[in-house]
Structure formats: C-alpha cells, structure tokens
Amino acid sequence: MYTLGEFIIKNKDCFSYSTESLLRLFSCIKLASKEIHKEVNKAGLTKKIIGVSGVKNIQGEVQKKVDDFANQAFINSFKSRNVVCGIASEESKNFIEIKNKKIMNNPYIVLIDPLDGSSNIDVNVSIGTIFSVYMRSSSTKDHLSINDFLQVGNRQILAGYIIYGSSTILVYSVGNGVHGFTLDPSIGTFYLSHPNLFFPKNGNIYSVNEGNYTRFSNGIKRFLRYCQEEKENRPYTARYIGSLVGDFHRNLIKGGIYMYPKTVFFPEGKLRLLYECNPIAFLTEQAGGKASDGKRRILDILPKNLHQRTPFFCGPKEMVEKLEEFTNE
Ligand code: P6P
C-alpha cells in the first residue's frame, strides 16, 4: 500500500506545481489532522475540547473549544513550516498573512474550515476538516490582499477533507481524480485506501435537513416528492447526519445528493462558499459529479466576501441535473 507521500511522488506529473511544495503542504495538513484525531478520539475523556471556549467566532456562533483547538492546530502547522503565505479560516474574521524571509516568493494560500460539524462531537458523530489551496493572484513582492482569497473555485490547485469518524480518512484532489488515504493511528501514517473515488451510477441517497421542509422553495419541495415517489429506482433513501463531510463522504462512496437549500433562516444558504462549498465542489466534479447553487456551477461563482454563503447541491450529475429541472422551472 502506498503512503500519501509515496503516492504524491508516484503521481508527481499530475500536479502542475512543485511536488516538493505539495509534499510540504500535506506535511502540515497531516500533522494538524493527527493532532485533531488524537483529541477527537477521546473527546469524552478530556475537558480540553468539550464545551465552549467562551468566545464568539465571526459567524456569531459560540465557538466550541474543539473549533478553537482545530483552528490553532492548522494555523500553527502552516505557520511553523513556512508552507503558505496566507490562511483564511471559518474561525477567523480576516485572513492571516505570513510574511517572513523564509517564505519570500511563496505563492500558496490556504482556506480552511478547521472542524466542520463540530457540534456533533458531543454525540460521537463524524466531523471533518475541509481545505482549499490556490496560487495567490497578486505578486509575491506585494502584501496579500483580500482578492488573493476571493478567487473562483475553478482556480483551486488542491482541495480535500479529513473525516474523523470510525476511521480518519484524508481525501484530496489536485485535478487528477479523487483519492482517499486512511490513517493507521498505531504508526501515524496515511495509507492509500480509496484510489480513484467516483460517484456510482444510479445513486439513490438524498441528504437534506427535512425539518426545514416548509421553508424550502416549491422547486425543492417538488424534488423531494420526486425522491420519495414509488417509480423507477425510487423512493430514494434519506440519510442526513448534519455533518457536511460525513454526509458527502458517504454519498461519494454510495451515490447520493447532498442539499442545503436557502431557507428563511439562511436566505443566502447556510454553507460557506470559499472553504466548504468550493473544495467539496472541486472533489465532486473530479469524481464525475456536479455541484451547483441550484442554477450556477459552484466553481464559477466569483466570491464577494470571505465568509459568504451559498445554497449548495452536490452529487452524481444525473441527480443534480434532475434537481435543477425542478429549481429552474
Ligand atoms: P443543519 C454543520 O454546522 C454544517 O455547516 C454542515 O456540516 C452540515 O451539513 C450543516 O451545517 C447542518 O446544518 O441546519 O441541518 O443543522
């Protein structure tokens, strides 16, 4: 079995940028994810990450200790290894510029949701980290600006997630397919376990919070009724655990559509474009699927601000296109 590092080197021609940089990026991501794995796996036994940190994050949400722990783990890992020149995080209001002599001319920036779905940690449901990497759009001689982070998703050079579940799995793409690596915690190594992930044909899972049904648009309501009627390969199976990474990972492997439509509580949608939807959309397309806001390709949306939200639908192409028939009526 290939380790993640061996796999990257074996496939170095598939990455348009420096292989050494990719290896160093993953060195940071692996280190931070192993730190989080270690704490998450014994969450009930330690006060370190259970409960709230007492502060509110940019989202106005009471930040959980584990959110802060995960955020610091990634920021420290990237900063200490001089791997990127800038970081944007769901947990930080503004982007963080890293400027020192050791990373002069470093062109990489990373956007992360350090621990998506963290409210599930108290009930032992899978949670995840989502990451997205770009080349900065400004000259390395200048200070970073917000425009370096407000790039369309189709300019990502690397995207992926780590799911902390019954096992810890890192899934990524550099534009040459989607590949998953499972952590062997006994030696702290990620091994190739899911090469060339691709949405199965005839997916039959739909994932949405049906508690919001009355608040959905008529198009979404009609699509849900389509999923539930007894015809052809339907009714579909409803599966929703309230953790994007967990729901997406299951749907990628078994074949299903994930939906977070806009509601009266979230008129722009709940999920964040830059560090949730764009990386998941990149993986979706690399796995033969489609990701949209109900009308537009997610990866073509020009971001206006760091924490902007969007309605989000992703999964097998035929399922998303069927949904769009209803949302575009
Ligand atoms: P709801 C977690 O807070 C999250 O951002 C995603 O991981 C998840 O899919 C969604 O929100 C769940 O939201 O409103 O259904 O609880």
Side-chain angles (χ1 to χ4, degrees):
M1 282 189 296
Y2 286 109
T3 65
L4 175 55
E6 289 166 344
F7 184 83
I8 288 168
I9 291 165
K10 176 177 178 292
N11 293 283
K12 64 182 184 327
D13 297 341
C14 303
F15 185 61
S16 318
Y17 306 90
S18 130
T19 300
E20 188 226 339
S21 304
L22 185 61
L23 288 167
R24 294 179 66 228
L25 274 163
F26 270 118
S27 169
C28 297
I29 293 167
K30 289 187 294 184
L31 173 66
S33 61
K34 284 187 263 189
E35 287 177 37
I36 295 166
H37 161 88
K38 186 164 68 71
E39 294 307 323
V40 163
N41 264 9
K42 58 177 192 290
L45 300 176
T46 165
K47 294 289 168 261
K48 186 173 182 178
I49 61 170
I50 287 290
V52 295
S53 63
V55 301
K56 284 200 173 182
N57 64 14
I58 168 66
Q59 329 296 341
E61 299 155 345
V62 176
Q63 188 180 60
K64 289 184 152 307
K65 281 183 190 170
V66 69
D67 289 324
D68 185 45
F69 173 81
N71 195 40
Q72 290 311 316
F74 276 98
I75 290 174
N76 296 339
S77 180
F78 282 122
K79 272 186 169 176
S80 62
R81 301 189 169 198
N82 297 311
V83 164
V84 296
C85 62
I87 306 168
S89 167
E90 180 182 46
E91 298 300 329
S92 308
K93 182 178 181 184
N94 301 309
F95 66 84
I96 300 161
E97 180 170 19
I98 302 164
K99 210 152 177 64
N100 64 52
K101 292 188 180 52
K102 290 186 190 143
I103 57 166
M104 293 302 285
N105 304 324
N106 178 304
Y108 302 103
I109 59 169
V110 62
L111 299 95
I112 50 168
D113 183 353
L115 209 56
D116 180 74
S118 55
S119 57
N120 289 298
I121 195 167
D122 305 350
V123 293
N124 208 23
V125 166
S126 299
I127 52 184
T129 297
I130 310 172
F131 57 89
S132 171
V133 177
Y134 293 79
M135 302 291 275
R136 64 183 290 175
S137 50
S138 60
S139 159
T140 52
K141 294 178 181 52
D142 301 334
H143 276 293
L144 275 180
S145 84
I146 188 64
N147 292 326
D148 286 299
F149 294 87
L150 301 183
Q151 300 187 48
V152 286
N154 61 42
R155 294 174 59 84
Q156 291 174 95
I157 64 169
L158 164 64
Y161 60 81
I162 299 105
I163 180 169
Y164 310 96
S166 49
S167 57
T168 293
I169 301 177
L170 184 154
V171 176
Y172 84 90
S173 178
V174 291
N176 186 51
V178 179
H179 311 286
F181 297 77
T182 298
L183 176 66
D184 177 341
S186 65
I187 55 172
T189 302
F190 283 93
Y191 285 102
L192 181 63
S193 52
H194 299 73
N196 301 308
L197 282 164
F198 217 75
F199 283 106
K201 288 283 172 229
N202 304 318
N204 74 341
I205 294 171
Y206 72 97
S207 304
V208 68
N209 183 342
E210 293 195 65
N212 291 323
Y213 180 84
T214 57
R215 306 176 189 103
F216 290 153
S217 69
N218 289 332
I220 296 293
K221 289 178 179 174
R222 281 197 295 276
F223 177 69
L224 292 180
R225 285 201 290 278
Y226 169 84
C227 293
Q228 294 157 357
E229 65 185 7
E230 294 189 25
K231 269 187 190 167
E232 296 150 8
N233 63 335
R234 286 166 284 140
Y236 293 154
T237 295
R239 289 284 185 274
Y240 188 76
I241 64 169
S243 174
L244 169 62
V245 171
D247 281 316
F248 178 78
H249 188 70
R250 177 201 56 246
N251 291 354
L252 173 58
I253 291 172
K254 290 186 174 288
I257 183 171
Y258 172 93
M259 297 174 272
Y260 208 106
K262 60 185 178 188
T263 68
V264 65
F265 298 129
F266 294 107
E268 300 301 318
K270 177 182 183 185
L271 299 190
R272 309 293 176 173
L273 173 62
L274 286 181
Y275 38 77
E276 291 176 333
C277 302
N278 273 341
I280 296 296
F282 187 82
L283 296 171
T284 296
E285 294 194 359
Q286 283 294 313
K290 187 170 186 181
S292 90
D293 66 356
K295 297 186 187 314
R296 297 175 296 173
R297 181 188 181 216
I298 288 290
L299 295 184
D300 287 341
I301 296 176
L302 182 63
K304 297 186 181 66
N305 68 69
L306 210 49
H307 301 289
Q308 82 180 60
R309 301 173 190 266
T310 177
F312 188 51
F313 308 95
C314 64
K317 196 171 284 187
E318 64 279 0
M319 295 184 91
V320 176
E321 286 174 347
K322 176 56 73 176
L323 171 123
E324 288 174 337
E325 284 177 25
F326 290 96
T327 52
N328 289 312
E329 272 170 352

